[in-house]
Amino acid sequence: MIEFEGVGHRYGDREVLADVTLALPEKRVAFVGANGSGKSTLARTVNGLVLPTSGRVLVDGLDTARRGAEVRRRVGFVFTDPDSQIVMPTAGEDVAFSLRRAGLGRAERARRAAEVLAEHGLAGYADHPAHQLSGGQKQLLALCGMLALDPDVLVCDEPTTLLDLRNKRRFVDLLSGLRQQVVLVTHDLDLLDGFERVVVVDGGRVVADDEPAPALRHYRALAG
Amino acid sequence: MNPLGLYEPGTGPLHRLPAGPKLAGVMVVVTLAVVTGEPVALAGLLAAVALGYAVARVPGRRVWRLLRTALPLVALVFAVQALLLGLPAAATAALRLAVAIGVATLFTLTTRVDAVVGAVERGLGPLRRFGVRPDRVGLLVGLTVAAVGTLAGIAAEVRAAAKARGAERSVVAFAAPFLVRTLRHADRLGEALTARGWGDEPDRPGPSS
Ligand SMILES: Nc1ncnc2c1ncn2[C@@H]1O[C@H](COP(=O)(O)OP(=O)(O)OP(=O)(O)O)[C@@H](O)[C@H]1O
Ligand SMILES: [Mg+2]
């Protein structure tokens, strides 16, 4: 469960989030809104990459400002650009890199990594140079790097923006099959069918919070 | 693509050798190359390194890519030294360089970064009581190897973009976007590492491998 309690954030004297209070128990939640509305900032508060300048964010009751390490163990994060998330030269090593912190031996790490890759459509790519994968495969790899850590929550900030239509669909289908709670930030509104709740952000505030159909109607009206 | 980095999967004896002893071997070869000034001995050392490539069954395309990058460099060093110091000194310098590049590349071709990181972590383990964090140093080594490829990729893209604008000779057209993209990459990489738990204290006293 993710809770925002009166969350506000400023960069210098620009206020980018104000007075966000939400409790998100649903398994599939989306944040939508215009460019610069504050979606990424809000999403980043969930794993403590951004600490709010007022209010607080709780994950399973843990305050992100005080228990950051524990929160990050529960919350995985997938960014837009896979190239900056992949840190090791081959796909298998990159996933194994996540497992390094879990205290597993090298052989065990390699085995688990191959398993995670195979489960998410990258079977046989363990020894493949990571940066020669296609864009869609790279984003799958970034997702595998996170899922290897078995988080309870997965926050994805526009993970499909750089993907073509088919890979967008595939990525979202994959997300929908996960046991994790998923918070998806996106501009691809037609990917939100299976979502239970859509939060519309505008000018740093929540302006609508509903099931997809009414929330998106509100968002479209906002865009004019 | 970066010719020096990147593991080449294989099952030969050099691939199976653990990273620690292999790294020690690389250091021995490089040390020998530095202490011997004798061109004939250096040529022998170079031949031994070449034999290593054959034993590891490194594919021809990788060897070709290495030669294409390293030969001009070695030739340049040879030419400059020959002009300044004469032929024997030039031969020594060029052979030394060839041995060092050859053996270092052989190491990266046959060793996964993961294994290198593990070897560094184990090697530095005893220094933990002096406040050294072997897992951090290991990560740094791994990221450095990976960064070579990333920076080469960014440079190639920026050069192509400058060329598309007809500005291939402009220093600014290269340097400005290269710097911006490199810094932005560093920024995002930092966030991605944090998200994967790397800024946080480890759950256990030491890393495993
Ligand atoms: N590091 C930063 N320093 C200063 N201002 C920032 C920083 N990051 C974001 N901002 C500002 O905060 C505001 C919200 O940015 P944010 O990235 O959260 O928007 P967004 O809704 O994710 O937009 P987009 O759809 O374009 O990704 C913007 O006005 C942006 O300029
Ligand atoms: Mg954003």
PDB file of all heavy atoms in Angstrom, chain A residues 87-115:
ATOM      1  N   VAL A  87      23.619  -1.670 -16.761  1.00  0.00           N
ATOM      2  CA  VAL A  87      24.958  -1.273 -16.341  1.00  0.00           C
ATOM      3  C   VAL A  87      26.030  -2.298 -16.676  1.00  0.00           C
ATOM      4  O   VAL A  87      27.205  -1.998 -16.604  1.00  0.00           O
ATOM      5  CB  VAL A  87      25.003  -0.959 -14.835  1.00  0.00           C
ATOM      6  CG1 VAL A  87      24.180   0.264 -14.526  1.00  0.00           C
ATOM      7  CG2 VAL A  87      24.517  -2.126 -14.016  1.00  0.00           C
ATOM      8  N   MET A  88      25.632  -3.507 -17.042  1.00  0.00           N
ATOM      9  CA  MET A  88      26.639  -4.529 -17.329  1.00  0.00           C
ATOM     10  C   MET A  88      26.611  -4.900 -18.814  1.00  0.00           C
ATOM     11  O   MET A  88      25.602  -4.714 -19.472  1.00  0.00           O
ATOM     12  CB  MET A  88      26.388  -5.760 -16.463  1.00  0.00           C
ATOM     13  CG  MET A  88      26.733  -5.523 -15.004  1.00  0.00           C
ATOM     14  SD  MET A  88      28.525  -5.372 -14.781  1.00  0.00           S
ATOM     15  CE  MET A  88      28.597  -4.151 -13.483  1.00  0.00           C
ATOM     16  N   PRO A  89      27.723  -5.424 -19.335  1.00  0.00           N
ATOM     17  CA  PRO A  89      27.827  -5.627 -20.781  1.00  0.00           C
ATOM     18  C   PRO A  89      26.910  -6.692 -21.362  1.00  0.00           C
ATOM     19  O   PRO A  89      26.499  -6.575 -22.509  1.00  0.00           O
ATOM     20  CB  PRO A  89      29.289  -6.015 -21.005  1.00  0.00           C
ATOM     21  CG  PRO A  89      29.950  -6.046 -19.702  1.00  0.00           C
ATOM     22  CD  PRO A  89      29.006  -5.650 -18.630  1.00  0.00           C
ATOM     23  N   THR A  90      26.586  -7.749 -20.612  1.00  0.00           N
ATOM     24  CA  THR A  90      25.683  -8.751 -21.186  1.00  0.00           C
ATOM     25  C   THR A  90      24.395  -8.804 -20.372  1.00  0.00           C
ATOM     26  O   THR A  90      24.359  -8.406 -19.209  1.00  0.00           O
ATOM     27  CB  THR A  90      26.309 -10.168 -21.201  1.00  0.00           C
ATOM     28  OG1 THR A  90      26.547 -10.574 -19.852  1.00  0.00           O
ATOM     29  CG2 THR A  90      27.619 -10.197 -21.977  1.00  0.00           C
ATOM     30  N   ALA A  91      23.335  -9.299 -21.021  1.00  0.00           N
ATOM     31  CA  ALA A  91      22.026  -9.331 -20.379  1.00  0.00           C
ATOM     32  C   ALA A  91      22.061 -10.132 -19.079  1.00  0.00           C
ATOM     33  O   ALA A  91      21.541  -9.694 -18.054  1.00  0.00           O
ATOM     34  CB  ALA A  91      20.990  -9.914 -21.346  1.00  0.00           C
ATOM     35  N   GLY A  92      22.705 -11.304 -19.125  1.00  0.00           N
ATOM     36  CA  GLY A  92      22.767 -12.150 -17.941  1.00  0.00           C
ATOM     37  C   GLY A  92      23.498 -11.460 -16.797  1.00  0.00           C
ATOM     38  O   GLY A  92      23.054 -11.496 -15.649  1.00  0.00           O
ATOM     39  N   GLU A  93      24.625 -10.814 -17.123  1.00  0.00           N
ATOM     40  CA  GLU A  93      25.393 -10.135 -16.085  1.00  0.00           C
ATOM     41  C   GLU A  93      24.602  -8.983 -15.486  1.00  0.00           C
ATOM     42  O   GLU A  93      24.716  -8.679 -14.300  1.00  0.00           O
ATOM     43  CB  GLU A  93      26.688  -9.571 -16.667  1.00  0.00           C
ATOM     44  CG  GLU A  93      27.764 -10.599 -16.874  1.00  0.00           C
ATOM     45  CD  GLU A  93      28.963  -9.970 -17.548  1.00  0.00           C
ATOM     46  OE1 GLU A  93      28.850  -9.564 -18.714  1.00  0.00           O
ATOM     47  OE2 GLU A  93      29.997  -9.853 -16.901  1.00  0.00           O
ATOM     48  N   ASP A  94      23.820  -8.311 -16.333  1.00  0.00           N
ATOM     49  CA  ASP A  94      23.077  -7.173 -15.819  1.00  0.00           C
ATOM     50  C   ASP A  94      22.034  -7.609 -14.796  1.00  0.00           C
ATOM     51  O   ASP A  94      21.869  -6.977 -13.758  1.00  0.00           O
ATOM     52  CB  ASP A  94      22.411  -6.395 -16.953  1.00  0.00           C
ATOM     53  CG  ASP A  94      21.914  -5.059 -16.440  1.00  0.00           C
ATOM     54  OD1 ASP A  94      22.752  -4.193 -16.160  1.00  0.00           O
ATOM     55  OD2 ASP A  94      20.690  -4.916 -16.266  1.00  0.00           O
ATOM     56  N   VAL A  95      21.335  -8.698 -15.101  1.00  0.00           N
ATOM     57  CA  VAL A  95      20.349  -9.192 -14.138  1.00  0.00           C
ATOM     58  C   VAL A  95      21.066  -9.723 -12.897  1.00  0.00           C
ATOM     59  O   VAL A  95      20.658  -9.462 -11.760  1.00  0.00           O
ATOM     60  CB  VAL A  95      19.460 -10.278 -14.776  1.00  0.00           C
ATOM     61  CG1 VAL A  95      18.505 -10.852 -13.738  1.00  0.00           C
ATOM     62  CG2 VAL A  95      18.667  -9.685 -15.938  1.00  0.00           C
ATOM     63  N   ALA A  96      22.181 -10.423 -13.108  1.00  0.00           N
ATOM     64  CA  ALA A  96      22.952 -10.966 -11.983  1.00  0.00           C
ATOM     65  C   ALA A  96      23.464  -9.845 -11.082  1.00  0.00           C
ATOM     66  O   ALA A  96      23.597 -10.005  -9.876  1.00  0.00           O
ATOM     67  CB  ALA A  96      24.125 -11.801 -12.495  1.00  0.00           C
ATOM     68  N   PHE A  97      23.721  -8.692 -11.706  1.00  0.00           N
ATOM     69  CA  PHE A  97      24.205  -7.533 -10.958  1.00  0.00           C
ATOM     70  C   PHE A  97      23.216  -7.134  -9.854  1.00  0.00           C
ATOM     71  O   PHE A  97      23.615  -6.769  -8.755  1.00  0.00           O
ATOM     72  CB  PHE A  97      24.411  -6.384 -11.949  1.00  0.00           C
ATOM     73  CG  PHE A  97      24.680  -5.058 -11.304  1.00  0.00           C
ATOM     74  CD1 PHE A  97      25.943  -4.746 -10.834  1.00  0.00           C
ATOM     75  CD2 PHE A  97      23.675  -4.120 -11.180  1.00  0.00           C
ATOM     76  CE1 PHE A  97      26.196  -3.525 -10.247  1.00  0.00           C
ATOM     77  CE2 PHE A  97      23.915  -2.889 -10.598  1.00  0.00           C
ATOM     78  CZ  PHE A  97      25.180  -2.597 -10.122  1.00  0.00           C
ATOM     79  N   SER A  98      21.928  -7.230 -10.156  1.00  0.00           N
ATOM     80  CA  SER A  98      20.915  -6.930  -9.137  1.00  0.00           C
ATOM     81  C   SER A  98      21.020  -7.903  -7.971  1.00  0.00           C
ATOM     82  O   SER A  98      20.827  -7.532  -6.824  1.00  0.00           O
ATOM     83  CB  SER A  98      19.509  -7.046  -9.720  1.00  0.00           C
ATOM     84  OG  SER A  98      19.257  -6.009 -10.617  1.00  0.00           O
ATOM     85  N   LEU A  99      21.322  -9.168  -8.302  1.00  0.00           N
ATOM     86  CA  LEU A  99      21.294 -10.231  -7.286  1.00  0.00           C
ATOM     87  C   LEU A  99      22.516 -10.204  -6.383  1.00  0.00           C
ATOM     88  O   LEU A  99      22.533 -10.839  -5.343  1.00  0.00           O
ATOM     89  CB  LEU A  99      21.198 -11.591  -7.977  1.00  0.00           C
ATOM     90  CG  LEU A  99      19.924 -11.790  -8.788  1.00  0.00           C
ATOM     91  CD1 LEU A  99      20.027 -13.031  -9.644  1.00  0.00           C
ATOM     92  CD2 LEU A  99      18.729 -11.885  -7.856  1.00  0.00           C
ATOM     93  N   ARG A 100      23.555  -9.499  -6.819  1.00  0.00           N
ATOM     94  CA  ARG A 100      24.773  -9.353  -6.051  1.00  0.00           C
ATOM     95  C   ARG A 100      24.485  -8.913  -4.615  1.00  0.00           C
ATOM     96  O   ARG A 100      25.098  -9.390  -3.674  1.00  0.00           O
ATOM     97  CB  ARG A 100      25.566  -8.258  -6.763  1.00  0.00           C
ATOM     98  CG  ARG A 100      26.993  -8.180  -6.489  1.00  0.00           C
ATOM     99  CD  ARG A 100      27.593  -7.330  -7.589  1.00  0.00           C
ATOM    100  NE  ARG A 100      28.260  -8.195  -8.514  1.00  0.00           N
ATOM    101  CZ  ARG A 100      29.386  -8.809  -8.215  1.00  0.00           C
ATOM    102  NH1 ARG A 100      29.950  -8.633  -7.061  1.00  0.00           N
ATOM    103  NH2 ARG A 100      29.948  -9.597  -9.073  1.00  0.00           N
ATOM    104  N   ARG A 101      23.513  -8.015  -4.480  1.00  0.00           N
ATOM    105  CA  ARG A 101      23.199  -7.494  -3.150  1.00  0.00           C
ATOM    106  C   ARG A 101      22.495  -8.520  -2.281  1.00  0.00           C
ATOM    107  O   ARG A 101      22.412  -8.372  -1.090  1.00  0.00           O
ATOM    108  CB  ARG A 101      22.292  -6.254  -3.255  1.00  0.00           C
ATOM    109  CG  ARG A 101      22.799  -5.204  -4.168  1.00  0.00           C
ATOM    110  CD  ARG A 101      23.902  -4.424  -3.537  1.00  0.00           C
ATOM    111  NE  ARG A 101      23.428  -3.568  -2.468  1.00  0.00           N
ATOM    112  CZ  ARG A 101      24.231  -2.811  -1.745  1.00  0.00           C
ATOM    113  NH1 ARG A 101      25.515  -2.827  -1.959  1.00  0.00           N
ATOM    114  NH2 ARG A 101      23.750  -2.051  -0.808  1.00  0.00           N
ATOM    115  N   ALA A 102      21.949  -9.561  -2.919  1.00  0.00           N
ATOM    116  CA  ALA A 102      21.182 -10.536  -2.161  1.00  0.00           C
ATOM    117  C   ALA A 102      22.083 -11.579  -1.519  1.00  0.00           C
ATOM    118  O   ALA A 102      21.617 -12.451  -0.796  1.00  0.00           O
ATOM    119  CB  ALA A 102      20.154 -11.213  -3.067  1.00  0.00           C
ATOM    120  N   GLY A 103      23.380 -11.508  -1.773  1.00  0.00           N
ATOM    121  CA  GLY A 103      24.310 -12.409  -1.115  1.00  0.00           C
ATOM    122  C   GLY A 103      24.349 -13.813  -1.695  1.00  0.00           C
ATOM    123  O   GLY A 103      24.720 -14.750  -1.023  1.00  0.00           O
ATOM    124  N   LEU A 104      23.977 -13.958  -2.972  1.00  0.00           N
ATOM    125  CA  LEU A 104      24.040 -15.279  -3.597  1.00  0.00           C
ATOM    126  C   LEU A 104      25.422 -15.493  -4.217  1.00  0.00           C
ATOM    127  O   LEU A 104      26.092 -14.547  -4.589  1.00  0.00           O
ATOM    128  CB  LEU A 104      22.985 -15.377  -4.707  1.00  0.00           C
ATOM    129  CG  LEU A 104      21.542 -15.160  -4.282  1.00  0.00           C
ATOM    130  CD1 LEU A 104      20.654 -15.089  -5.510  1.00  0.00           C
ATOM    131  CD2 LEU A 104      21.106 -16.288  -3.364  1.00  0.00           C
ATOM    132  N   GLY A 105      25.826 -16.746  -4.327  1.00  0.00           N
ATOM    133  CA  GLY A 105      27.085 -17.081  -4.994  1.00  0.00           C
ATOM    134  C   GLY A 105      26.981 -16.811  -6.487  1.00  0.00           C
ATOM    135  O   GLY A 105      25.891 -16.622  -7.018  1.00  0.00           O
ATOM    136  N   ARG A 106      28.150 -16.812  -7.171  1.00  0.00           N
ATOM    137  CA  ARG A 106      28.145 -16.407  -8.575  1.00  0.00           C
ATOM    138  C   ARG A 106      27.342 -17.358  -9.451  1.00  0.00           C
ATOM    139  O   ARG A 106      26.566 -16.930 -10.304  1.00  0.00           O
ATOM    140  CB  ARG A 106      29.564 -16.286  -9.107  1.00  0.00           C
ATOM    141  CG  ARG A 106      29.521 -15.595 -10.442  1.00  0.00           C
ATOM    142  CD  ARG A 106      30.845 -15.520 -11.160  1.00  0.00           C
ATOM    143  NE  ARG A 106      31.965 -15.353 -10.269  1.00  0.00           N
ATOM    144  CZ  ARG A 106      33.177 -15.855 -10.513  1.00  0.00           C
ATOM    145  NH1 ARG A 106      33.368 -16.554 -11.610  1.00  0.00           N
ATOM    146  NH2 ARG A 106      34.156 -15.665  -9.683  1.00  0.00           N
ATOM    147  N   ALA A 107      27.525 -18.664  -9.243  1.00  0.00           N
ATOM    148  CA  ALA A 107      26.827 -19.636 -10.084  1.00  0.00           C
ATOM    149  C   ALA A 107      25.317 -19.516  -9.874  1.00  0.00           C
ATOM    150  O   ALA A 107      24.538 -19.533 -10.828  1.00  0.00           O
ATOM    151  CB  ALA A 107      27.294 -21.045  -9.749  1.00  0.00           C
ATOM    152  N   GLU A 108      24.927 -19.355  -8.619  1.00  0.00           N
ATOM    153  CA  GLU A 108      23.526 -19.213  -8.276  1.00  0.00           C
ATOM    154  C   GLU A 108      22.940 -17.949  -8.916  1.00  0.00           C
ATOM    155  O   GLU A 108      21.831 -17.951  -9.444  1.00  0.00           O
ATOM    156  CB  GLU A 108      23.394 -19.171  -6.746  1.00  0.00           C
ATOM    157  CG  GLU A 108      21.984 -18.946  -6.213  1.00  0.00           C
ATOM    158  CD  GLU A 108      21.039 -20.093  -6.528  1.00  0.00           C
ATOM    159  OE1 GLU A 108      21.519 -21.156  -6.951  1.00  0.00           O
ATOM    160  OE2 GLU A 108      19.814 -19.913  -6.369  1.00  0.00           O
ATOM    161  N   ARG A 109      23.728 -16.857  -8.877  1.00  0.00           N
ATOM    162  CA  ARG A 109      23.269 -15.611  -9.497  1.00  0.00           C
ATOM    163  C   ARG A 109      23.042 -15.796 -10.985  1.00  0.00           C
ATOM    164  O   ARG A 109      22.013 -15.372 -11.525  1.00  0.00           O
ATOM    165  CB  ARG A 109      24.326 -14.508  -9.306  1.00  0.00           C
ATOM    166  CG  ARG A 109      24.308 -13.844  -7.978  1.00  0.00           C
ATOM    167  CD  ARG A 109      24.945 -12.467  -8.055  1.00  0.00           C
ATOM    168  NE  ARG A 109      26.280 -12.462  -8.633  1.00  0.00           N
ATOM    169  CZ  ARG A 109      27.413 -12.503  -7.922  1.00  0.00           C
ATOM    170  NH1 ARG A 109      27.362 -12.571  -6.623  1.00  0.00           N
ATOM    171  NH2 ARG A 109      28.576 -12.472  -8.531  1.00  0.00           N
ATOM    172  N   ALA A 110      23.997 -16.446 -11.648  1.00  0.00           N
ATOM    173  CA  ALA A 110      23.886 -16.645 -13.098  1.00  0.00           C
ATOM    174  C   ALA A 110      22.662 -17.501 -13.424  1.00  0.00           C
ATOM    175  O   ALA A 110      21.937 -17.226 -14.383  1.00  0.00           O
ATOM    176  CB  ALA A 110      25.160 -17.288 -13.641  1.00  0.00           C
ATOM    177  N   ARG A 111      22.417 -18.518 -12.578  1.00  0.00           N
ATOM    178  CA  ARG A 111      21.291 -19.409 -12.834  1.00  0.00           C
ATOM    179  C   ARG A 111      19.966 -18.660 -12.671  1.00  0.00           C
ATOM    180  O   ARG A 111      19.090 -18.720 -13.519  1.00  0.00           O
ATOM    181  CB  ARG A 111      21.355 -20.596 -11.857  1.00  0.00           C
ATOM    182  CG  ARG A 111      20.518 -21.810 -12.256  1.00  0.00           C
ATOM    183  CD  ARG A 111      20.538 -22.881 -11.178  1.00  0.00           C
ATOM    184  NE  ARG A 111      20.025 -22.389  -9.895  1.00  0.00           N
ATOM    185  CZ  ARG A 111      18.736 -22.164  -9.652  1.00  0.00           C
ATOM    186  NH1 ARG A 111      17.844 -22.394 -10.580  1.00  0.00           N
ATOM    187  NH2 ARG A 111      18.354 -21.713  -8.472  1.00  0.00           N
ATOM    188  N   ARG A 112      19.867 -17.906 -11.557  1.00  0.00           N
ATOM    189  CA  ARG A 112      18.641 -17.131 -11.315  1.00  0.00           C
ATOM    190  C   ARG A 112      18.417 -16.103 -12.418  1.00  0.00           C
ATOM    191  O   ARG A 112      17.289 -15.866 -12.862  1.00  0.00           O
ATOM    192  CB  ARG A 112      18.729 -16.409  -9.965  1.00  0.00           C
ATOM    193  CG  ARG A 112      18.473 -17.297  -8.778  1.00  0.00           C
ATOM    194  CD  ARG A 112      16.982 -17.330  -8.421  1.00  0.00           C
ATOM    195  NE  ARG A 112      16.440 -16.018  -8.076  1.00  0.00           N
ATOM    196  CZ  ARG A 112      16.508 -15.485  -6.867  1.00  0.00           C
ATOM    197  NH1 ARG A 112      17.092 -16.139  -5.885  1.00  0.00           N
ATOM    198  NH2 ARG A 112      15.975 -14.296  -6.626  1.00  0.00           N
ATOM    199  N   ALA A 113      19.518 -15.469 -12.863  1.00  0.00           N
ATOM    200  CA  ALA A 113      19.408 -14.447 -13.905  1.00  0.00           C
ATOM    201  C   ALA A 113      18.852 -15.058 -15.189  1.00  0.00           C
ATOM    202  O   ALA A 113      17.923 -14.513 -15.797  1.00  0.00           O
ATOM    203  CB  ALA A 113      20.766 -13.802 -14.161  1.00  0.00           C
ATOM    204  N   ALA A 114      19.391 -16.224 -15.566  1.00  0.00           N
ATOM    205  CA  ALA A 114      18.920 -16.886 -16.788  1.00  0.00           C
ATOM    206  C   ALA A 114      17.441 -17.234 -16.655  1.00  0.00           C
ATOM    207  O   ALA A 114      16.659 -17.110 -17.604  1.00  0.00           O
ATOM    208  CB  ALA A 114      19.753 -18.138 -17.068  1.00  0.00           C
ATOM    209  N   GLU A 115      17.051 -17.641 -15.458  1.00  0.00           N
ATOM    210  CA  GLU A 115      15.659 -17.987 -15.190  1.00  0.00           C
ATOM    211  C   GLU A 115      14.743 -16.776 -15.371  1.00  0.00           C
ATOM    212  O   GLU A 115      13.720 -16.851 -16.049  1.00  0.00           O
ATOM    213  CB  GLU A 115      15.566 -18.437 -13.736  1.00  0.00           C
ATOM    214  CG  GLU A 115      14.867 -19.736 -13.477  1.00  0.00           C
ATOM    215  CD  GLU A 115      15.076 -20.114 -12.009  1.00  0.00           C
ATOM    216  OE1 GLU A 115      14.574 -19.380 -11.122  1.00  0.00           O
ATOM    217  OE2 GLU A 115      15.759 -21.118 -11.785  1.00  0.00           O
TER     218      GLU A 115
END
